[in-house]
Amino acid sequence: MKKKFLLREDTLTDFIITLPGLALYTLLFMVPVVMGFFYSLTDWNGISKKFNIVWFSNYAALLKDTRFAGTVKFTVYYTVLLILCVVLISLTTALVLNSRIKGGNFFRSVFFFPAVLSLMTVGLIFKELYYRVLPLVGDWLNIPALQTNILANEDLAIYGILFANVWTACAIPTLLFYAGLKNVPVDLYEAADIDGATAFQKFRRITLPFLIPTFSMVFILQLKAGLSVFDYVLSITGGGPGGATESIGTIIYNTAFTDRRFGYATAESVVLFMIIAVISLIQVRATRGKEVTV
């Protein structure tokens, strides 16, 4: 009986300890999500106290909205490129840093530096580089594609945004991969060396399985960053030229604050939320049980 009472007392203590966090999570996350879904069913303009409930008319209109479909296509393509570039560059950098090169601490600091910069500031800096510096380099190297501002080219503007994003986005994933590499037992590499395994075989059979949790984390972080990209697009191209680089984030912003269609913009936000949630769930389920622990 005394043991049962102690268990109940511990449960009550745990509940009280988690109550502040639960309250903040409910207030700052769950309530806005529910309210956002509610406003997506209305024609609210963001200012008026009166609005009409239109139910799922906003979502039906989204299915026929060619402009929104174009932004989804651009955002998905951009996200795929971002994930591939960040994973490859971050993993390669982490492997180099883990090889005990001279000045490793200095290089780790250098690679992390972009992570502390404001995204809008980075975007504005790269915008000036593309506008003023890159054409000069193109003239010097006699490369026609670089002799004009690439942001004015509908086909190249996306890569200008991507380069700026990758430059800042690789910092934290590099540290995550580096930390993951430190968790791989050295004994496994020594045993593989005795068996005559090649560097690629050691990487595939030993390193990758231990890095699966890190891959999952980096994938989800970059998935969210890519699908919700806003700062770089707004500061570098503003969605131009001719709407070629308009992302879901920028169209939500323009729909809400320029067109004053907050109900419709909220519906676009809900669709974005569902896309991120579904892809993340699929990725987590696909990698569950494949990680290796010591």
Side-chain angles (χ1 to χ4, degrees):
M1 191 70 179
K2 185 177 180 181
K3 184 177 180 180
K4 187 176 182 181
F5 175 77
L6 290 175
L7 288 175
R8 289 181 178 178
E9 189 178 40
D10 291 341
T11 303
L12 180 61
T13 302
D14 294 341
F15 175 75
I16 293 175
I17 292 174
T18 58
L19 191 58
L22 180 62
L24 289 174
Y25 179 80
T26 302
L27 180 64
L28 301 178
F29 181 77
M30 294 304 300
V31 172
V33 168
V34 174
M35 291 180 63
F37 180 74
F38 169 74
Y39 282 118
S40 72
L41 305 177
T42 70
D43 60 356
W44 185 44
N45 62 7
I47 299 176
S48 175
K49 294 182 179 180
K50 296 181 180 180
F51 53 82
N52 300 312
I53 296 179
V54 297
W55 298 107
F56 292 97
S57 297
N58 289 329
Y59 294 96
L62 276 177
L63 296 177
K64 304 176 183 178
D65 192 337
T66 55
R67 181 185 177 189
F68 183 74
T71 62
V72 171
K73 181 180 179 181
F74 166 83
T75 306
V76 170
Y77 178 65
Y78 179 88
T79 303
V80 171
L81 292 178
L82 179 65
I83 292 174
L84 290 177
C85 291
V86 170
V87 169
L88 290 176
I89 295 175
S90 300
L91 180 58
T92 303
T93 306
L95 289 171
V96 173
L97 293 175
N98 193 51
S99 61
R100 298 179 180 179
I101 61 173
K102 293 183 179 180
N105 293 331
F106 170 76
F107 287 113
R108 283 194 291 272
S109 302
V110 170
F111 281 111
F112 189 76
F113 172 72
V116 302
L117 299 177
S118 166
L119 302 185
M120 290 294 290
T121 301
V122 172
L124 292 173
I125 291 173
F126 273 90
K127 181 179 180 179
E128 289 298 310
L129 290 175
Y130 295 141
Y131 179 70
R132 302 180 188 278
V133 179
L134 200 58
L136 295 177
V137 176
D139 291 335
W140 182 51
L141 298 177
N142 196 24
I143 302 177
L146 301 180
Q147 291 176 354
T148 58
N149 185 2
I150 64 172
L151 301 181
N153 188 313
E154 293 186 0
D155 297 325
L156 299 179
I158 181 175
Y159 302 106
I161 301 172
L162 180 68
F163 184 83
N165 196 346
V166 170
W167 184 71
T168 56
C170 286
I172 293 178
T174 297
L175 292 183
L176 291 175
F177 280 122
Y178 180 77
L181 291 171
K182 292 300 182 182
N183 291 328
V184 182
V186 181
D187 296 344
L188 296 180
Y189 291 120
E190 294 176 351
D193 289 333
I194 295 174
D195 293 337
T198 63
F200 177 76
Q201 289 174 330
K202 289 188 290 184
F203 176 76
R204 180 185 177 187
R205 300 295 184 182
I206 300 175
T207 306
L208 279 182
F210 278 92
L211 290 180
I212 285 180
T214 307
F215 273 109
S216 299
M217 186 183 304
V218 172
F219 177 87
I220 293 174
L221 288 175
Q222 298 311 312
L223 174 72
K224 177 183 176 297
L227 292 178
S228 60
V229 61
F230 173 78
D231 306 76
Y232 295 105
V233 176
L234 186 66
S235 59
I236 296 177
T237 65
T245 60
E246 192 172 37
S247 65
I248 299 178
T250 56
I251 197 176
I252 291 173
Y253 174 84
N254 291 326
T255 302
F257 296 101
T258 303
D259 302 337
R260 289 295 177 184
R261 301 169 63 193
F262 273 76
Y264 193 77
T266 308
E268 294 172 333
S269 301
V270 172
V271 171
L272 175 60
F273 171 79
M274 294 302 298
I275 292 174
I276 296 175
V278 170
I279 297 178
S280 299
L281 181 62
I282 293 174
Q283 192 272 337
V284 170
R285 287 184 175 273
T287 57
R288 181 180 296 174
K290 295 183 179 180
E291 61 272 10
V292 177
T293 56
V294 180

